[in-house]
Structures are given as C-alpha cells and as structure tokens.
Amino acid sequence: MNFDQLKEQWNNEDGNVTIPDNIAQLKESRHPIEKIQKSMKKEFPMQVLAIILIGFFPQILKFPVSQYVIYYTSYAMLVVISSYYLFGFYKFYKQTELYTGNTKHSLWKIYHELKLNMERYQSFGFLLLPHFMITLGLEFYKVLAKKGMTLESVTNSYQQTLIISVLIGTIAIIVNIVLWTKYIYGRHAKQLENILNEIDE
C-alpha cells in the first residue's frame, strides 16, 4: 500500500483524520521545539535563582533597616507575579514534551502557545520594572541621606537629569526585553511558522 492509498483510507474512515502531504516537514519541526526546550531548561533555574537573589538586595546594597518594609512589600508583589509567570512557563514546557510531531494540528497548537508565552515573557519583564524603580529610588534616597541631603535640597537641573535618566533607562530595558525574547524564542517561532506555511502550500 503506497502513501496516497493510506491517506485515502484514513480519510474514508474518519472525516477529521488527515495525513499531511509532507510528513518530513512535521518531523523537521521537532528540531526548533527541541531548541525551545533546551532554552527553557536553562532559563527556568536561572530565573528562580535571580528572584531569590533579588530578596537579598537590601543587605547587598546596605539599605537602612527603616527602608526594609518598603522594599519587601514591593518584593512580595514581585514574588506573587513571578510565581504566576513561572507556573505558566513550566506548563508550556510540559506541553512541548508531549508534542509528538505527527499532526499539523498539534504543531499549530505549539506554535500558538509559543507566541502566547513570548507575550507573557515580555509582560513579565515589564512587570519587574516598578520593583527595580523602587529599588533605585531607595538607593538614591540612601545616597542623599549619607550626604545629609533631602530631596528638597537637590537642584532642579539635577532632578531633571535624574528623571531623563530614568526615562532613558526604562526605554532601554523595554527594548532589551523585546530583543532578548526575539533572540531566545522568536527565531524558533519563525522556523515553526515557515514549516506550517510550507505544509499549507
């Protein structure tokens, strides 16, 4: 029995069952998915470790004990947000393990889940910004306190420079998050998209 006869037989048995015209393309899709899995395997423990280390910033940066309550309130929110994101990250990783590469439908599903997780990945990065802004604010306040200064004693030109620096820094971080996401996962998403487009043709 050749491939065309097998395809016809399966289609006759159940209208929902179809065999793609190019099985090799579906097998090829396993390659980018394996790369995604490797990237996720490396990233997951690093992200968990980074979140734990952030908890020690007040001691590392030698914040006054009076600032701990501000820092750890922000940190608690960061941990809650991170837990939600990391759970989604882990769920997606488990989904990629279940992918067998034998149907176009399962490949589309993985592709859409990957795109969704890329958006979630970026959102997670953006949600870290407020915490880091609070950390920078506390560091700035600590430096001023050491010099015996207050915010009122800082000149207007210095305040404007600080605001512009924070704005430029924020934009730079956002751009880096987007570029990093595209570098780590975007190229694999593009490979999957190309394979799916070739199958449709």
Side-chain angles (χ1 to χ4, degrees):
M1 182 182 287
N2 64 27
F3 178 77
D4 290 328
Q5 288 173 325
L6 180 65
K7 181 176 175 180
E8 187 178 340
Q9 184 181 344
W10 276 32
N11 285 334
N12 288 337
E13 286 176 7
D14 185 349
N16 294 325
V17 178
T18 57
I19 299 175
D21 292 325
N22 195 339
I23 294 290
Q25 286 171 319
L26 284 176
K27 296 298 180 190
E28 186 186 315
S29 71
R30 188 77 195 144
H31 186 57
I33 290 169
E34 283 169 359
K35 284 184 177 179
I36 291 164
Q37 288 173 332
K38 281 180 186 174
S39 296
M40 292 179 83
K41 250 184 179 175
K42 287 177 189 173
E43 258 201 293
F44 189 81
M46 284 181 4
Q47 288 179 0
V48 172
L49 183 63
I51 291 161
I52 292 167
L53 287 175
I54 289 168
F56 294 100
F57 273 18
Q59 291 80 21
I60 295 165
L61 299 172
K62 296 179 179 172
F63 288 163
V65 178
S66 58
Q67 292 181 352
Y68 279 23
V69 67
I70 299 168
Y71 183 87
Y72 282 112
T73 300
S74 174
Y75 179 70
M77 292 170 66
L78 172 72
V79 169
V80 170
I81 291 166
S82 300
S83 300
Y84 170 76
Y85 163 73
L86 290 170
F87 177 69
F89 189 89
Y90 177 75
K91 265 178 67 177
F92 176 62
Y93 176 77
K94 296 308 281 183
Q95 276 183 308
T96 62
E97 282 189 330
L98 296 173
Y99 172 70
T100 56
N102 56 2
T103 65
K104 190 172 84 167
H105 173 73
S106 65
L107 185 57
W108 267 115
K109 190 175 176 185
I110 286 289
Y111 172 73
H112 287 298
E113 284 293 325
L114 174 59
K115 295 291 277 184
L116 181 67
N117 274 275
M118 283 171 66
E119 290 295 322
R120 191 182 290 145
Y121 187 93
Q122 288 179 357
S123 300
F124 174 62
F126 302 152
L127 287 168
L128 295 178
L129 278 171
H131 178 75
F132 288 116
M133 290 300 160
I134 288 168
T135 306
L136 282 174
L138 292 173
E139 177 66 15
F140 180 66
Y141 181 80
K142 182 194 81 176
V143 171
L144 285 180
K146 275 187 179 177
K147 292 180 178 178
M149 298 168 69
T150 62
L151 287 172
E152 290 81 14
S153 61
V154 176
T155 61
N156 285 338
S157 62
Y158 188 77
Q159 285 180 13
Q160 287 170 1
T161 304
L162 183 65
I163 290 165
I164 291 166
S165 299
V166 168
L167 184 62
I168 291 168
T170 302
I171 292 167
I173 289 168
I174 289 169
V175 168
N176 278 313
I177 289 167
V178 172
L179 292 176
W180 178 252
T181 307
K182 284 188 177 178
Y183 174 74
I184 294 291
Y185 299 109
R187 51 194 173 148
H188 305 314
K190 190 69 184 168
Q191 283 179 308
L192 290 177
E193 187 181 2
N194 291 339
I195 290 164
L196 285 162
N197 288 337
E198 284 172 23
I199 291 169
D200 285 337
E201 292 169 4

